[in-house]
């Protein structure tokens, strides 16, 4: 399956390897970036990007099952630790450790989940 962040339409689209639409995941804000963790039980992480006209809206990161079920979410818009300013990349090589890159705050945060 191929998962595509579709920020403009506020969804993640899911396609098979032939490009056929299989499903979509909505109600998670405006995902600018996504990451799927490795392992036997994979998780999908998605950023709810802050809109450029109001950088203090949204900002949270969602943790989902691959079928779109929300497991949890954390963070909010801002400049403090565990607050986010327009997340444009998530590295999730380990489902419990994320590296989150932000455009508005010009930084990368290491987030440990437990």
């Amino acid at each position: 399956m191929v998962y595509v962040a579709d920020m403009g339409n506020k969804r993640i689209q899911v396609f098979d390897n032939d490009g056929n639409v299989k499903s979509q995941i909505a109600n998670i804000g405006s995902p600018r970036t996504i990451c799927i963790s490795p392992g036997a039980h994979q998780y999908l992480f998605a950023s709810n990007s802050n809109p450029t006209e109001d950088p203090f809206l949204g900002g949270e990161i969602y943790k989902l099952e691959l079928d779109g079920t929300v497991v949890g979410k954390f963070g909010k818009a801002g400049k403090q630790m565990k607050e986010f300013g327009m997340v444009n990349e998530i590295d999730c090589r380990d489902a419990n450790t994320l590296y989150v890159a932000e455009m508005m705050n010009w930084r990368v945060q290491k987030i440990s989940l437990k």
Side-chain angles (χ1 to χ4, degrees):
M1 299 300 223
V2 178
Y3 291 74
V4 178
D6 185 357
M7 183 178 72
N9 292 310
K10 299 183 178 184
R11 65 183 177 183
I12 296 170
Q13 295 186 66
V14 184
F15 301 90
D16 66 16
N17 287 337
D18 294 322
N20 301 308
V21 176
K22 301 307 280 181
S23 66
Q24 69 177 3
I25 301 167
N27 299 320
I28 55 166
S30 300
R32 179 179 292 270
T33 187
I34 58 176
C35 185
I36 298 175
S37 66
H41 190 127
Q42 297 176 300
Y43 290 102
L44 171 64
F45 293 92
S47 68
N48 178 14
S49 284
N50 321 68
T52 52
E53 62 276 2
D54 190 345
F56 295 103
L57 287 177
E60 62 271 5
I61 295 175
Y62 286 84
K63 182 177 182 179
L64 307 114
E65 298 288 350
L66 294 182
D67 67 1
T69 303
V70 176
V71 175
K73 67 179 179 175
F74 61 92
K76 63 180 182 176
K79 297 181 178 282
Q80 303 301 315
M81 297 304 293
K82 296 189 180 177
E83 294 180 347
F84 304 105
M86 200 175 291
V87 173
N88 69 316
E89 189 62 56
I90 299 173
D91 180 302
C92 61
R93 290 176 227 187
D94 173 349
N96 292 315
T97 305
L98 305 179
Y99 290 90
V100 179
E102 306 165 65
M103 291 172 44
M104 293 178 66
N105 293 332
W106 292 95
R107 66 181 177 189
V108 174
Q109 291 189 65
K110 179 180 179 182
I111 307 295
S112 296
L113 305 173
K114 296 276 176 166

